[in-house]
């Protein structure tokens, strides 16, 4: 399958790499931002997809270079193959400060450990060859150290596991029909409506054309984007739903 081009101008491209599926693995999206020949890969994934994602990334960058690896959180479908990426490129990887001493348990060679950098809780701006990418706090959605990326050129918000769905389509066409494909995952994985509301309040200050999650279909257009933000803001999830449900198994 070919890459989906989410945005393109003379200098800047945002690509959604084809979802590689293997056995029982949850299908995951890999996103690539290329600005004037310099690239950032988002959530590059694990060992089974490593070779294909790396070669697709390098062929899309062409003669340029991969400068940045962004890790939205610590899950294996995001970080497991980080060592390979650091060993085969000169890129610098960024993850929440909460995870920089846990990710090395996936196996990071001493040679490359210095190229995994911490992102502070309040987020930061990462420079991609002159573009200031906004790294946004999205903690507890779902990981306690969780970050999203907003690209001010393409106006794409990369939302990691928030907005994730299973179902095979690449783009959401009917929001109401799509809710059923997101609901169970968000109720169980997202930590709390408090975090959901904080996120909604923050992202409403941005001019967003696309919300692109790490699993499943993306949301395109102002109407779809605002419907998704409203849905997030009003969803009860995680600890909101625990009640008295913990019981010792019989
Ligand atoms: Fe995750």
């Amino acid at each position: 399958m070919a890459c989906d081009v989410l945005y393109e101008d003379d200098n800047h491209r945002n690509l959604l790499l084809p979802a590689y599926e293997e056995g029982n693995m949850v299908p995951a999206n890999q996103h690539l931002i290329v600005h004037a020949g310099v690239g950032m890969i988002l959530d590059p994934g694990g060992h089974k997809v490593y070779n294909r994602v790396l070669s697709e990334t390098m062929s899309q960058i062409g003669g340029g270079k991969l400068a940045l690896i962004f890790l939205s959180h610590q899950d294996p479908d995001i970080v497991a193959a980080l060592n390979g990426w650091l060993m085969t490129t000169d890129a610098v990887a960024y993850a929440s400060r909460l995870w920089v001493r846990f990710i090395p348990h996936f196996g990071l060679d001493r040679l490359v450990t210095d190229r995994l950098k911490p992102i502070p809780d309040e987020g930061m701006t990462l420079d991609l060859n002159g573009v200031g990418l906004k790294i946004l706090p999205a903690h507890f959605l779902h990981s306690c150290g969780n970050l999203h990326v907003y690209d001010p050129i393409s106006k794409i918000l990369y939302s990691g596991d928030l907005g994730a769905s299973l179902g095979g389509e690449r783009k959401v066409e009917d929001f109401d029909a799509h809710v059923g494909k997101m609901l169970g995952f968000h109720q169980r994985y997202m930590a709390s409506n408090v975090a959901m509301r904080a996120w909604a309040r923050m992202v409403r200050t941005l001019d967003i054309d696309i919300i692109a999650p790490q699993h499943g279909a993306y949301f395109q257009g102002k109407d779809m984007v605002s419907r998704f933000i409203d849905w997030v803001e009003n969803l009860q999830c995680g600890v909101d739903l625990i009640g008295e449900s913990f019981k010792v198994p019989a």
Side-chain angles (χ1 to χ4, degrees), residues 101-114:
R101 298 192 64 217
F102 291 86
I103 291 170
H105 280 270
F106 282 107
L108 278 195
D109 285 293
R110 195 172 287 275
L111 224 57
V112 303
T113 45
D114 288 350

Side-chain angles (χ1 to χ4, degrees), residues 70-91:
F70 172 78
L71 307 166
S72 64
H73 61 294
Q74 82 291 3
D75 276 346
D77 56 327
I78 283 158
V79 306
L82 180 61
N83 195 55
W85 285 87
L86 291 173
M87 292 293 273
T88 49
T89 70
D90 296 322

